[in-house]
């Protein structure tokens, strides 16, 4: 039921957003292209066919660009970026060949300390991902670097907001250095495990030498040429076609606006309670 509600609200948001862009065209104001970054985790053998169909839909409805693109051109209305968190070995069979066949670029964010190990980082014991293997050094080296870029996902898949400054630096800097040693090229992108970050961590990531970092906030990405923080929308091979189409068209951005409104309302309530205190 929650899924249906989200889809319904997304349709309403997309209609309003489309009307707003149409009005801008009518009155002669420029309408900028926009980009949506999708993030996946694993693609299982059972999901391979669904994922392949999704790739065809994504490629048909948008122009897929690399995650480290400096600036969007003006030749397409909708751009998309594909990313994968964790670097599961199964992607070598279920996803990467399908993307290579279609020349679709992607970025895979890897926790460097789990290379060639099972994903048994800090998560629920019942989580199925604990038994899944992360790509090995050889796997990472053999990827087509022109098509598949590797980014950092910390050393140990750590929740950075739970760490002190010394360990935050370690997770950001050492993961970058370890992956660069494996790959032989500069690692310039990073995604936050669990989507956890704050302004202090952002500054530390800049100091560590990253070019762009990715959140799990379902907002636009690549909005400006020097963008450092990019939003992403969660995607799964099990998404319904209409669900993925809405995500691809930025319709789930209403969740960002709803979250901001909720936060502002909470602040107003707290302020009101404070003003009434004697």
């Amino acid at each position: 039921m929650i899924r249906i509600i989200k889809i319904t609200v997304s349709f309403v948001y997309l209609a309003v957003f489309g009307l707003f862009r149409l009005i801008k065209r009518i009155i002669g104001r420029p309408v900028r292209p926009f980009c949506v970054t999708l993030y996946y985790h694993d693609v299982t053998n059972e999901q391979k066919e669904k994922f392949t169909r999704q790739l065809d839909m994504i490629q048909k409805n948008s122009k897929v660009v690399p995650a480290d693109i400096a600036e969007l051109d003006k030749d397409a209305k909708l751009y998309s970026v594909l990313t994968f968190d964790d670097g599961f070995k199964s992607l070598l069979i279920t996803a990467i060949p399908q993307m290579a066949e279609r020349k679709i670029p992607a970025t895979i964010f890897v926790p460097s300390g789990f290379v060639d190990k099972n994903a048994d980082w800090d998560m629920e014991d019942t989580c199925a991902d604990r038994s899944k293997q992360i790509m090995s050094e050889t796997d990472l080296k053999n990827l087509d670097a022109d098509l598949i870029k590797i980014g950092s996902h910390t050393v140990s898949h750590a929740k950075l907001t739970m760490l002190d400054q010394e360990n935050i630096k370690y997770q950001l800097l050492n993961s970058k250095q370890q992956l660069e040693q494996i790959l032989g090229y500069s690692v310039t992108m990073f995604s936050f495990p669990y989507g956890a970050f704050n302004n202090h961590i952002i500054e530390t990531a800049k100091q560590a030498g990253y070019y762009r970092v990715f959140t799990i906030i379902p907002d636009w990405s690549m909005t400006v040429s020097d963008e450092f923080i990019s939003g992403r929308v969660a995607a799964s091979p099990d998404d319904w076609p209409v669900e993925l189409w809405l995500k691809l068209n930025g319709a789930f951005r209403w969740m960002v606006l709803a979250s901001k409104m909720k936060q502002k309302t909470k602040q107003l309530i707290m302020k009101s309670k404070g003003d009434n205190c004697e």
Side-chain angles (χ1 to χ4, degrees):
M1 186 62 183
I2 293 177
R3 196 173 186 181
I4 298 295
I5 293 173
K6 286 183 177 180
I7 289 174
T8 303
V9 176
S10 297
F11 267 117
V12 173
Y13 174 84
L14 188 60
V16 174
F17 175 67
L19 179 62
F20 176 72
R21 287 170 68 86
L22 177 60
I23 292 172
K24 288 185 71 175
R25 289 193 186 96
I26 291 174
I27 64 177
R29 294 186 63 183
V31 178
R32 296 187 304 173
F34 64 95
C35 179
V36 173
T37 298
L38 301 173
Y39 75 96
Y40 290 83
H41 284 88
D42 196 13
V43 178
T44 65
N45 282 322
E46 293 76 20
Q47 296 170 323
K48 180 179 176 181
E49 188 175 338
K50 291 180 182 178
F51 179 73
T52 302
R53 288 197 296 267
Q54 287 186 350
L55 289 179
D56 290 335
M57 189 185 84
I58 291 168
Q59 197 167 45
K60 180 181 178 181
N61 287 277
S62 68
K63 181 174 181 178
V64 190
V65 294
D68 59 354
I69 189 170
E71 189 172 7
L72 300 177
D73 297 324
K74 307 300 181 183
D75 61 340
K77 295 179 181 178
L78 174 61
Y79 290 82
S80 63
V81 172
L82 292 187
T83 65
F84 297 79
D85 282 359
D86 301 333
F88 291 114
K89 196 179 186 76
S90 54
L91 297 177
L92 296 169
I93 299 173
T94 60
I96 292 175
Q98 287 69 35
M99 291 188 293
E101 182 181 336
R102 293 160 178 79
K103 294 181 171 31
I104 294 176
T107 296
I108 301 173
F109 295 102
V110 180
S112 62
F114 283 92
V115 170
D116 205 21
K117 297 179 182 178
N118 286 351
D120 57 350
W121 47 72
D122 186 19
M123 64 174 77
E124 296 293 333
D125 290 335
T126 56
C127 182
D129 287 350
R130 293 183 70 90
S131 61
K132 294 179 180 179
Q133 192 172 20
I134 306 302
M135 294 180 198
S136 67
E137 289 191 15
T138 301
D139 294 331
L140 295 175
K141 288 177 182 178
N142 288 339
L143 292 173
D144 182 354
D146 291 330
L147 199 64
I148 306 295
K149 292 290 196 304
I150 298 298
S152 168
H153 203 41
T154 71
V155 175
S156 60
H157 202 279
K159 190 171 186 177
L160 294 177
T161 52
M162 302 295 290
L163 304 181
D164 59 27
Q165 176 59 13
E166 183 178 351
N167 279 309
I168 291 171
K169 284 184 177 180
Y170 169 79
Q171 293 287 339
L172 290 169
L173 189 58
N174 283 50
S175 60
K176 186 178 190 297
Q177 294 173 343
Q178 290 167 5
L179 290 171
E180 287 175 344
Q181 187 172 6
I182 293 171
L183 298 165
Y185 64 77
S186 181
V187 172
T188 61
M189 292 178 286
F190 178 89
S191 77
F192 298 101
Y194 313 103
F197 73 98
N198 55 37
N199 290 337
H200 176 68
I201 293 170
I202 292 294
E203 288 304 313
T204 306
K206 288 180 180 179
Q207 294 168 12
Y210 290 103
Y211 168 76
R212 182 169 288 149
V213 297
F214 292 83
T215 70
I216 58 172
I217 299 171
D219 208 344
W220 308 131
S221 55
M222 321 305 167
T223 54
V224 293
S225 59
D226 60 346
E227 179 175 280
F228 186 72
I229 309 171
S230 289
R232 294 189 299 170
V233 181
S236 165
D238 293 326
D239 283 345
W240 299 334
V242 66
E243 195 174 11
L244 183 66
W245 182 84
L246 285 167
K247 291 178 179 180
L248 186 64
N249 281 273
F252 273 62
R253 187 172 178 264
W254 67 267
M255 298 176 69
V256 180
L257 304 178
S259 178
K260 289 179 179 179
M261 289 178 63
K262 181 180 178 181
Q263 187 63 30
K264 285 183 178 179
T265 301
K266 184 178 179 180
Q267 290 174 352
L268 287 172
I269 292 173
M270 294 300 293
K271 183 179 179 180
S272 175
K273 288 181 177 179
D275 290 342
N276 290 331
C277 290
E278 295 182 358

